[in-house]
Amino acid sequence: MTQVRTRFAPSPTGDLHIGGARTALFNWLLARHARGVFVLRIEDTDAARSTQASIQVILDAMTWLGMDWDEGPFYQTQRMSFYQEVAEKLLKEGRAYPCYCTPEELEAKREAALKTGIKPKYDRTCLHRKSSSPGRPPAIRFLSPDEGKTVVEDLIQGRVEFDNHELDDLIILRSDGLPTYNFSVVVDDATMGITHVIRGNDHLNNTPRQIQIYQALGFPIPQFGHVSMILGPDKKKLSKRHGAQSVMEYKKMGYLPQAVVNYLVRLGWSYGDQEEFNREELIEKFSLEAVGKSAAAINPGKLDWLNAQYIKKIELEELVQRVQPFLEAKGFLNIDSGLLRKALLSFRERVKTLVEMADLSEFYFCEEIAYDKKAAETFLNRKTLPMLEQFIPFLSKEPTLEKEKGHRWIHQLAEMRGEPLVKIAQPIRVALTGRTISPPIDEVMEVLGKGKVIQRLEKAMEYIKEISPNG
């Protein structure tokens, strides 16, 4: 059997959006499932819009998602002479012809056709032209067959037929020598031995044109599969109003690449009722037969849920590496590694994103605690000062402050004062974290350690005395 060879061929004109990332993922999974080859090709012939920065963003996004490629990246701009050679071959064989029509002439033809209710289609003015136009380099048009049908046996959408008389003699090489998409993609896919072309269904109407070019060149025709588009939660076309669209936006928002991959593959593909898949499971279970025809809608809540599951399960060292850049962005550059691990462990069961984890755990690493105004007004006042003063001697007796000891001392202090536990725990929580919500206070105390706990309690007492010096 022929080895499966798939490809991803983005245009470097911006970020890698989730639609493109999902297409890449389906191609990557198909190749990995079949133990085939995944090729990366950069379609950079649009000189006005293609940038090196966009190329790097695409490479970075794919690397972050864990989609490695076996061959490439190849660049179309490095293959220009080859496209011209293939176009010359079609000219010599009578399967293409030079076209000297100017853009203005073509626009006039289009407008005239529309006025008479005819579908705009090139009228082959130049097909039988005998002379050239001096000083005007021609474009090259492919001579499309007039009769019959071109059939696409789509792996996802099923059989789709196109009447050849509806198809135009498309330009394959512009007058400036640059190839058009429908031509370059055929030449590239054929010469790179691509066996399966999986792409968005916005390309389905291009496929019959490409099949005709394959046939004219005598190239084997790959199998095509066109994936339905991704919609917003409101079932409308995905746009900026729906939130993040690019892969690197998801990274900046604190999502793990494993969760984003899991999320993207489930937009249009399923395996029973299973929701969570690791990399190995996706490779093992993926098939095009399970890719749906219908458009898939994004579900931000599902991504949050998936990300929370992965945060709980990934190795602690990886979690540390993933969170550190978010903490460094806050100015925490030299965090004690032991403190960081303990802090993240106290939050990993409670957060949805790495950004949330960095925000909530910030109090562990601050030199000075900033109190939430409302929390301080409620819990750091003259009424709570005696309790805080009593609590420090409890802690001072212990050489270290494990969770169990902190728990015991808080309960003993509540019993001794005859007060509900919350009236003891909340002032201590605000003193240690600056807010009223945190992991269990005994857990917070253990992570901070005895010295820092006592220091923060003393600071809180100073704060109370400063804001109300006369009681």
Side-chain angles (χ1 to χ4, degrees):
M1 293 179 65
T2 303
Q3 184 184 43
V4 170
R5 291 176 62 87
T6 68
R7 51 75 164 173
F8 178 54
S11 297
T13 56
D15 295 339
L16 179 58
H17 286 196
I18 59 172
R22 184 188 63 167
T23 297
L25 181 59
F26 283 179
N27 279 281
W28 181 83
L29 286 171
L30 180 60
R32 293 290 172 263
H33 177 79
R35 295 182 174 83
V37 175
F38 178 61
V39 178
L40 177 60
R41 182 174 72 235
I42 306 296
E43 298 190 340
D44 58 344
T45 55
D46 187 345
R49 299 174 63 215
S50 298
T51 66
Q52 188 59 45
S54 290
I55 291 173
Q56 193 58 54
V57 166
I58 290 169
L59 299 180
D60 290 346
M62 292 188 67
T63 300
W64 183 70
L65 291 172
M67 283 190 282
D68 53 334
W69 49 92
D70 304 300
E71 296 179 11
F74 300 108
Y75 296 88
Q76 287 188 329
T77 49
Q78 297 173 1
R79 295 165 57 84
M80 303 304 293
S81 60
F82 187 52
Y83 303 129
Q84 291 161 2
E85 287 175 19
V86 177
E88 284 294 328
K89 178 178 184 293
L90 289 173
L91 276 173
K92 289 177 182 177
E93 294 175 355
R95 305 303 299 267
Y97 58 94
C99 178
Y100 292 91
C101 295
T102 64
E104 293 77 17
E105 289 170 339
L106 293 173
E107 179 60 23
K109 292 176 187 290
R110 191 186 75 85
E111 290 180 0
L114 289 173
K115 284 180 181 178
T116 57
I118 300 173
K119 180 179 178 180
K121 181 179 176 182
Y122 184 61
D123 60 6
R124 292 182 170 173
T125 298
C126 291
L127 176 58
H128 302 295
R129 185 170 182 158
K130 301 300 182 184
S131 61
S132 62
S133 295
R136 187 191 298 177
I140 307 298
R141 284 187 183 273
F142 177 72
L143 181 57
S144 176
D146 286 326
E147 299 178 351
K149 297 178 182 290
T150 299
V151 177
V152 181
E153 297 289 358
D154 197 277
L155 295 169
I156 297 169
Q157 302 300 328
R159 183 184 178 91
V160 187
E161 296 183 355
F162 296 85
D163 290 324
N164 288 338
H165 69 82
E166 294 286 328
L167 302 177
D168 209 351
D169 288 355
L170 75 156
I171 291 174
I172 58 174
L173 211 65
R174 298 186 181 92
S175 59
D176 59 6
L178 289 174
T180 59
Y181 166 77
N182 280 307
F183 181 58
S184 61
V185 74
V186 169
V187 174
D188 287 340
D189 285 344
T191 55
M192 293 177 185
I194 302 304
T195 62
H196 294 72
V197 175
I198 312 303
R199 57 193 179 189
N201 67 358
D202 54 328
H203 286 292
L204 182 56
N205 287 335
N206 290 322
T207 306
R209 302 173 183 276
Q210 294 171 14
I211 287 175
Q212 290 179 359
I213 297 173
Y214 276 103
Q215 292 168 334
L217 291 169
F219 290 143
I221 299 172
Q223 296 187 69
F224 292 95
H226 291 87
V227 183
S228 294
M229 65 192 301
I230 298 175
L231 303 176
D234 55 4
K235 310 297 183 186
K236 295 181 180 179
K237 186 178 179 181
L238 196 61
S239 66
K240 289 182 179 179
R241 74 177 185 278
H242 295 120
Q245 292 187 74
S246 77
V247 169
M248 299 315 269
E249 279 182 280
Y250 283 111
K251 181 181 180 182
K252 290 175 184 175
M253 290 165 66
Y255 292 101
L256 293 168
Q258 302 96 315
V260 175
V261 164
N262 195 150
Y263 176 65
L264 288 178
V265 79
R266 288 287 288 111
L267 291 174
W269 175 84
S270 62
Y271 188 84
D273 296 328
Q274 187 171 344
E275 291 288 349
E276 293 181 66
F277 300 85
N278 61 36
R279 179 187 173 103
E280 291 71 28
E281 286 177 314
L282 286 175
I283 291 172
E284 175 195 346
K285 301 179 187 302
F286 183 79
S287 69
L288 290 176
E289 289 79 10
V291 175
K293 291 183 182 182
S294 303
I298 61 170
N299 183 342
K302 177 62 69 67
L303 177 57
D304 284 345
W305 178 82
L306 276 170
N307 205 55
Q309 305 313 306
Y310 280 95
I311 286 174
K312 292 172 186 175
K313 293 173 184 176
I314 64 170
E315 294 292 330
L316 180 58
E317 289 308 309
E318 181 180 353
L319 184 60
V320 167
Q321 291 173 12
R322 299 286 187 189
V323 174
Q324 270 183 322
F326 295 98
L327 290 169
E328 288 172 0
K330 291 174 171 290
F332 301 113
L333 303 179
N334 297 298
I335 300 173
D336 176 78
S337 59
L339 173 61
L340 179 55
R341 289 182 181 86
K342 290 178 182 177
L344 298 191
L345 279 173
S346 75
F347 273 108
R348 71 183 300 171
E349 298 287 332
R350 301 175 170 87
V351 299
K352 297 185 182 77
T353 70
L354 302 180
V355 167
E356 186 182 6
M357 178 171 271
D359 288 344
L360 293 178
S361 64
E362 185 176 348
F363 70 83
Y364 281 124
F365 318 114
C366 293
E367 290 300 320
E368 294 287 337
I369 289 295
Y371 304 120
D372 174 80
K373 184 179 179 182
K374 188 174 180 180
E377 288 175 355
T378 306
F379 297 106
L380 297 184
N381 50 51
R382 282 286 171 176
K383 290 181 180 179
T384 58
L385 181 61
M387 181 273 292
L388 295 176
E389 290 174 333
Q390 282 181 291
F391 192 49
I392 290 179
F394 279 69
L395 305 178
S396 301
K397 298 175 182 178
E398 299 289 349
T400 57
L401 189 56
E402 288 80 20
K403 180 179 177 179
E404 294 76 14
K405 293 178 181 177
H407 183 81
R408 185 173 68 248
W409 288 127
I410 290 172
H411 275 267
Q412 286 189 13
L413 184 59
E415 289 175 6
M416 187 179 77
R417 293 179 59 84
E419 293 180 336
L421 193 62
V422 67
K423 287 199 171 183
I424 304 297
Q426 281 298 76
I428 295 173
R429 189 188 311 279
V430 176
L432 299 183
T433 71
R435 56 183 76 134
T436 57
I437 299 174
S438 76
I441 192 60
D442 49 5
E443 197 171 321
V444 170
M445 291 166 63
E446 180 179 56
V447 174
L448 287 171
K450 173 184 169 180
K452 194 168 286 188
V453 167
I454 292 175
Q455 181 186 56
R456 291 189 180 185
L457 290 172
E458 289 174 341
K459 288 280 185 182
M461 290 189 293
E462 290 175 15
Y463 169 83
I464 294 169
K465 292 173 183 176
E466 288 174 4
I467 61 170
S468 54
N470 298 318

